Amino acid sequence: MTYEFNELTQRRGTLSYKWDQGQALFGDPEVLPLWVADMDFKCAPAIVQAVTERAAQGIYGYTVRPEAYTNAITGWFQRRHGWIIQDNWLTDSPGVVPSLSLAIQTFSEPGDEVILQSPVYNPFYDVILNNGRKLAESPLILKDSQYEMDYARLEALMQQGARLLMLCSPQNPGGRVWSKEELVRLGDLCVKYDVKVIADEIHCDLVFPEHRHFPFASLSEEFAQRCITCLAPSKTFNIPGLATSFIVISNPQLKQRFDQRINALSLGSVNFFGPSATIAAYNESEPWLDALLEYVKANQDYAVSYLSKQLPSVAPVISEGTYLLWVDCRPLGLSSDELKQIMYKEAKIAFNSGSIYGHGGEGFLRINLACPRDLLAEALDRFAAAVKNRTK
Ligand SMILES: Cc1ncc(COP(=O)(O)O)c(C=O)c1O
């Protein structure tokens, strides 16, 4: 079966967070949005069918979580990632970010330090700071155009008392798919200093063929015992609006504490469409995902080649996974505000400004590659023309 990733679907006027906020966020309703991480592709046919059938029922009542739902999840992780998850390790949640926040609340106290590695997905900062915890920042090291972890700094933070670490794996915005060796080295430090790990692995399925994602908790029993893994089918299959995600905790004590928090807030009930969409995604949409990854990889190749010709001074950080391209625009010598002015006012496009991802993000832009090639080409043309106009 072939999938039409080149098809341009009109999303303006569909209550789209990405397409219908041009005026509110960028001062112009016509801005081309290549920012927030949702895709401009129709979902896999099996998902559309499952959701359509569910919608046709016409009564949208409280919903149970069928066995087929947990089987779809555990089957997927075994097949795709070689990770055997038991049903009773799973807890439902409406979103990964809410789960990150609940995990911070459950496994740390106000005033505690929580480690993150910047630049990183901006809500990591929010869930630490809005819960009254302190940032313990270990900046990633950009070496030969790729990010590496700074183990000396991580160890120093642990020695100083940090006991909780947030891991973004694969990494957003840098697109690193951490190797087994890198994760084991990190995990060994966590074991040595008794640090718990909140692993946000939402991008785990968006990995290009020559790379492999290793679930942190799958690497050893010692790692699993201290790990809270936050997952969802939403990024992989473009269903974030269905508010369906899950947490994997194999340590029964940690799971009990986390579930208590979920129950206290009554957050455990599932979305009406969630189980049906998830079953269709994990059981029937693997060929769609493989085709998607090829398309996104080709979009990355297109963007990198285009930038090397049109704006040779900028330096894309080649992604190993995710559908995000992180571009080092510092050689242009423009401030964050000037880059925003160029994007929103002159080029009428919106990539994410790197400054929101914290330390090390200033002067970078994040481009969402999950769109039809023509749209990507149009956005890059407009951006390059505006930059050349400004810097000539
Ligand atoms: C690393 C990461 N975590 C979480 C999310 C969002 O998760 P949710 O929509 O389930 O809260 C995103 C979305 O881009 C992300 O990149």
Side-chain angles (χ1 to χ4, degrees):
M1 184 162 185
T2 52
Y3 304 98
E4 250 327 319
F5 297 117
N6 279 320
E7 191 186 329
L8 279 165
T9 301
Q10 179 56 264
R11 298 187 68 196
R12 283 214 171 94
T14 63
L15 304 182
S16 162
Y17 188 83
K18 185 183 191 180
W19 283 84
D20 288 329
Q21 295 199 95
Q23 180 66 45
L25 299 180
F26 313 115
D28 187 329
E30 297 303 317
V31 157
L32 281 186
L34 283 79
W35 60 289
V36 66
D38 86 6
M39 308 192 217
D40 293 323
F41 304 128
K42 288 217 171 102
C43 289
I47 299 177
V48 176
Q49 189 183 340
V51 171
T52 306
E53 282 171 10
R54 200 86 176 109
Q57 291 175 7
I59 297 176
Y60 308 124
Y62 295 121
T63 299
V64 293
R65 179 185 192 255
E67 208 179 314
Y69 169 68
T70 41
N71 288 345
I73 294 172
T74 55
W76 178 266
F77 281 89
Q78 181 162 8
R79 233 172 28 254
R80 273 314 265 202
H81 301 290
W83 186 21
I84 296 176
I85 297 173
Q86 308 295 336
D87 292 5
N88 63 355
W89 299 353
L90 292 169
T91 299
D92 294 310
S93 150
V96 165
V97 176
S99 302
L100 299 175
S101 188
L102 291 171
I104 298 265
Q105 292 174 6
T106 309
F107 300 114
S108 67
E109 297 297 326
D112 282 355
E113 296 206 319
V114 182
I115 300 174
L116 57 65
Q117 301 183 80
S118 52
V120 74
Y121 179 55
N122 43 315
F124 274 37
Y125 296 92
D126 301 336
V127 297
I128 295 174
L129 297 172
N130 291 342
N131 282 306
R133 275 60 171 173
K134 290 191 191 131
L135 288 178
E137 232 172 322
S138 177
L140 293 166
I141 299 166
L142 190 56
K143 194 169 157 202
D144 302 329
S145 290
Q146 275 299 355
Y147 282 108
E148 289 178 5
M149 298 193 199
D150 184 343
Y151 295 99
R153 168 84 182 151
L154 288 164
E155 183 159 17
L157 292 171
M158 294 177 194
Q159 277 167 345
Q160 286 157 27
R163 290 290 169 267
L164 192 57
L165 176 141
M166 294 184 73
L167 172 67
C168 192
S169 175
Q171 209 269 347
N172 171 9
R176 272 307 311 281
V177 177
W178 303 115
S179 70
K180 190 176 186 174
E181 291 69 29
E182 288 170 304
L183 291 170
V184 167
R185 198 167 163 194
L186 176 72
D188 286 345
L189 283 178
C190 294
V191 172
K192 181 171 173 190
Y193 292 97
D194 195 19
V195 170
K196 291 187 186 61
V197 177
I198 303 171
D200 177 342
E201 301 191 5
I202 194 169
H203 292 278
C204 65
D205 301 311
L206 297 162
V207 167
F208 299 134
E210 60 278 21
H211 298 280
R212 179 167 169 199
H213 169 77
F214 293 94
F216 179 79
S218 74
L219 292 173
S220 83
E221 186 50 30
E222 272 181 311
F223 295 180
Q225 284 303 306
R226 60 188 59 257
C227 187
I228 298 99
T229 308
C230 303
L231 290 162
S234 56
K235 209 75 8 188
T236 314
F237 292 103
N238 205 26
I239 50 173
L242 299 187
T244 299
S245 87
F246 49 93
I247 304 98
V248 182
I249 310 176
S250 62
N251 178 324
Q253 281 85 37
L254 299 191
K255 183 163 193 308
Q256 194 194 15
R257 286 170 64 191
F258 186 82
D259 286 356
Q260 221 165 14
R261 190 89 210 126
I262 287 267
N263 293 337
L265 295 164
S266 194
L267 283 174
S269 61
V270 289
N271 178 283
F272 179 82
F273 296 100
S276 313
T278 303
I279 293 165
Y282 286 152
N283 289 357
E284 296 177 64
S285 305
E286 211 158 346
W288 179 93
L289 174 61
D290 291 334
L292 170 94
L293 288 170
E294 255 181 55
Y295 191 89
V296 170
K297 176 73 171 62
N299 266 1
Q300 166 162 268
D301 294 345
Y302 175 87
V304 169
S305 157
Y306 180 93
L307 290 170
S308 74
K309 289 183 201 122
Q310 298 299 326
L311 295 173
S313 65
V314 308
V317 175
I318 306 296
S319 294
E320 297 170 341
T322 78
Y323 51 73
L324 309 164
L325 182 63
W326 185 237
V327 184
D328 186 354
C329 296
R330 290 174 301 178
L332 295 173
L334 300 163
S335 68
S336 270
D337 284 345
E338 286 172 317
L339 281 171
K340 283 185 195 163
Q341 168 81 16
I342 288 172
M343 285 193 291
Y344 312 153
K345 301 288 177 237
E346 291 157 33
K348 308 247 182 245
I349 53 144
F351 304 145
N352 284 100
S353 169
S355 54
I356 65 170
Y357 303 97
H359 193 105
E362 191 79 19
F364 284 72
L365 295 175
R366 193 192 77 168
I367 304 177
N368 183 338
L369 298 167
C371 62
R373 182 94 22 96
D374 287 351
L375 183 59
L376 175 64
E378 169 77 24
L380 290 171
D381 278 345
R382 290 196 202 177
F383 178 64
V387 169
K388 284 183 194 167
N389 193 35
R390 176 68 80 104
T391 52
K392 74 183 170 198

